[in-house]
Structure formats: structure tokens, C-alpha cells
Amino acid sequence: MRKIPLLGLVITLVSLLLMAGCGSTSTGTSSPVKEPDTITVAWLPNTAGDDLKEARAEIDKVIEKATGKKVEDKLTTDYAITVEALASGNAQVAWVGAQQYIEAHAKNDKVLPLVVNSGDSGTLNDALYYSRLVVKKGNEEQYKSGDGFSIDNIAGKKMSFVSSSSTSGFKVPSAAIITDFTKQDKWKSLKQEDLLQGGGDKFFSQVLFGGSHQLSLVNVLTDKADVAAVDDIDVASYVELTSGAENTPGAVYTVRKDAAAPFDKLAGVQYVVIKAIPVLNAPIVANTGVLSQETIDAITQALTSDEVASNTKIFVDKGGKGFFNKPQRFLEVEDTWFNPIRELSK
């Protein structure tokens, strides 16, 4: 496993992660519920594209087989729509980032996590992905510091985030920015809300929100932004590592020749990672107030089964078009496992 940068935030995330155990999911409800005949699964904008239709369908099939119910997808265009659909019960299941889960749970404490994908070890110990700050290749020299890279020069730049509700596309990178810059007198009072808007008297000259990790990356590749926040998993099937080590400062990635939209006209364009921060894996969650305990248990048992772990349409070769990589698998997880992400908003 790659060595994780020694940042205070990183240490907090990883130490709490390693201390967390894999426990049975508590639904917080034992009373009978009148559940719908059709289970609606909500998908974030990052996972709602046509290129991931087959991967979504495979997850749907697992839920259909486990519950005997019809499953339909709710494809959303905004993070807030997914959160609201889940909290209200209009969608009963969703695969969301840790931050969206926390927001949905705050709106309705019956929304609880079922599973997360493990790390390559098959455990929760390395159940991480990466939030990264990246710049277009050719512009990286202004972020160099000695033999490495620094984010000291991002102040005053045009910045692209994903959404204010995105875990790895806003919450984690903004926390890292604040950790670094509040050490300086000029920015000692900097807060997350200060990064939401740009302007002459703001931290950034301009702030864009791509709406998805793919479009946040497009913003920096097309020079609409100087710096972009983007995770590694949502763009993995569109790019390939050209030089350096994965998810480390200085790593160079190139858009593949056969990349699907929105990268189909950007083949060969490159970007450089200037900062990378590990993030807790995203959960599949359910609104336990509108699904019976029997249904919840059936979905959880199916997802954590060896059959699903060996399903090559769900757990694909790295770089393939899917959500999860071999040799990972689904593991049950509890609400408290996501406390490190909760701490970022305090």
C-alpha cells in the first residue's frame, strides 16, 4: 500500500479508520413498515452517466434477486437532489459519498449505511480513495517547492470544486486548504464558507462547481479553472497514469484516446497532481424507515456475499468501467465509521 502523506488531517482520518471495526448495521427501527413494491436506487451525477449504465444495472440485479422486488434507478443531476430523495424516502437506497450520507442522516436518522467497498486487503483498514488538487500539465511549475509541490500559490487562482456537498470534491480538499493556510497570519481566520465564492477580496479569484468529478476535471483541462478538486475513482476509466506514483504529488495523468464523454474531445490532454488526501470509501446506504428489516438484511447479505465479490461486472479490473476494483469486496459498516468526515464540518 502506498505511504500516506503525514498531514494532521490524514493522520486523523487514517488513525480513526484503523481503529474502526466492522460491525453489524443497526437500522434503528424494528416496527413494521409499509415498504414500496419497487425499490428506487438514487445515483449521484458522477455515477449517472451512460458509460456506467451496465455497472448500475448489475447492482440493481443483486438487489432485485435478494428482495424479489423490482428496482428502478433515479439518476440525479445535483448532489442535493440525491440527499433529499434519500432522506424523504422517495429513494430507498443510494450509493453516495460520506458527506452526502452524513447530510442525509442529519435530515433523517433512519438513513443508515449498509456496506462500503473494502480496500485491496479485503478489510476496512485500507478502505480509502483519494481527493486530489490537480493542475493542467504545463502549469505545474508555479506550484513547485524544492523537489516537491506546494499549494501555497493556489490563493488568488480560479478554482473548480465538484459540489459544496461533495466529500472528496469539496469537504476534504477545503479542510486541507484551511489546515495549510490558517498557519499564515493573512488567512488565520479562513473558513470553509470562505472558499465557496471568488472575488478580489476572497481567497480564490473565481470559484466554479463542476457538478461532477468528471466536469470539475474538464474545467481545469479546458483552462476554465487553474486548479481543480477531483477524486481518483470517478475519473479512473477516462485517464491513465503517465508518470509518477498514483495519487502522489507530481503524478501525471493523460486522457485516454478512447475516453467517453465528457473527455471524448480531450484525448492526450494531461494534468498533474499537486496534493492528494485519503478519504473514507463511499457507502451504499438505505432509508430504514421505509424498508423492512427483512429487506435491509437481504440486501446487506447479498452485497457482502462471495458471489457478489466475485462478480466481475461489479468488481472490475483497475481502469475498467465500473465502480469498484478487484480484489475489493463489500463489508458491513456502522454510522460511527464516518465520524472522521463529520469532524471536517465542525
Side-chain angles (χ1 to χ4, degrees):
M1 192 172 82
R2 294 181 296 274
K3 184 177 288 185
I4 297 173
L6 295 176
L7 293 172
L9 171 63
V10 173
I11 293 171
T12 299
L13 285 174
V14 176
S15 62
L16 287 173
L17 173 62
L18 293 174
M19 291 170 62
C22 175
S24 59
T25 303
S26 171
T27 63
T29 180
S30 57
S31 57
V33 296
K34 181 176 173 58
E35 60 183 16
D37 295 328
T38 298
I39 293 176
T40 300
V41 181
W43 300 91
L44 293 171
N46 307 318
T47 55
D50 286 344
D51 57 322
L52 293 171
K53 185 176 182 178
E54 184 177 359
R56 292 193 301 268
E58 204 64 24
I59 296 291
D60 293 347
K61 288 176 187 176
V62 171
I63 297 173
E64 285 180 341
K65 182 179 178 182
T67 64
K69 293 178 177 291
K70 180 182 176 182
V71 175
E72 65 180 17
D73 288 338
K74 179 178 180 62
L75 307 181
T76 66
T77 56
D78 185 270
Y79 279 57
I81 294 173
T82 308
V83 170
E84 187 55 42
L86 189 59
S88 67
N90 289 330
Q92 298 82 48
V93 178
W95 181 44
V96 294
Q99 180 63 30
Q100 294 90 60
Y101 160 63
I102 289 165
E103 291 179 6
H105 180 78
K107 288 175 176 285
N108 183 347
D109 63 7
K110 300 297 185 185
V111 176
L112 290 167
L114 303 183
V115 301
V116 295
N117 55 305
S118 73
D120 287 351
S121 69
T123 72
L124 292 179
N125 290 347
D126 56 346
L128 300 165
Y129 66 109
Y130 283 81
S131 170
R132 306 170 301 178
L133 294 176
V134 306
V135 300
K136 188 175 181 180
K137 177 68 175 171
N139 297 331
E140 70 273 18
E141 286 300 317
Q142 58 192 297
Y143 306 97
K144 292 290 291 289
S145 177
D147 294 332
F149 286 84
S150 167
I151 63 170
D152 286 351
N153 288 338
I154 67 171
K157 301 295 187 183
K158 294 181 294 182
M159 179 70 202
S160 177
F161 290 115
V162 175
S163 161
S164 61
S165 294
S166 174
T167 309
S168 55
F170 180 72
K171 293 293 183 179
V172 169
S174 65
I177 291 168
I178 290 165
T179 297
D180 278 15
F181 279 88
T182 50
K183 297 172 185 175
Q184 303 177 22
D185 287 343
K186 182 179 179 180
W187 303 111
K188 62 183 179 181
S189 299
L190 189 68
K191 296 179 176 60
Q192 278 193 339
E193 53 264 34
D194 299 326
L195 305 181
L196 292 170
Q197 290 183 314
D201 60 341
K202 304 292 186 181
F203 184 82
F204 293 117
S205 62
Q206 183 180 359
V207 175
L208 305 173
F209 289 95
S212 69
H213 286 270
Q214 291 91 333
L215 291 177
S216 183
L217 180 55
V218 167
N219 280 341
V220 84
L221 295 182
T222 57
D223 300 312
K224 292 179 181 177
D226 301 309
V227 183
V230 58
D231 70 15
D232 58 331
I233 54 175
D234 284 301
V235 299
S237 63
Y238 306 95
V239 303
E240 55 191 358
L241 180 67
T242 305
S243 66
E246 278 191 42
N247 296 315
T248 58
V252 179
Y253 291 82
T254 304
V255 177
R256 298 174 186 268
K257 292 180 180 179
D258 60 349
F263 298 96
D264 50 324
K265 293 180 174 60
L266 295 169
V269 181
Q270 298 180 312
Y271 61 93
V272 181
V273 176
I274 62 171
K275 192 175 187 69
I277 313 113
V279 187
L280 299 177
N281 276 354
I284 293 179
V285 303
N287 186 323
T288 66
V290 292
L291 292 179
S292 69
Q293 185 65 53
E294 181 182 5
T295 296
I296 292 161
D297 288 345
I299 294 172
T300 303
Q301 289 168 15
L303 289 172
T304 56
S305 67
D306 291 340
E307 179 182 357
V308 167
S310 60
N311 185 324
T312 56
K313 292 183 179 179
I314 295 177
F315 292 96
V316 302
D317 291 323
K318 288 187 178 180
K321 289 185 179 179
F323 304 134
F324 313 103
N325 292 326
K326 298 176 184 177
Q328 300 170 5
R329 65 177 298 137
F330 289 126
L331 298 173
E332 288 187 65
V333 72
E334 294 182 331
D335 170 78
T336 54
W337 195 69
F338 297 98
N339 282 346
I341 303 299
R342 281 192 176 94
E343 293 298 317
L344 298 181
S345 296
K346 291 184 177 180

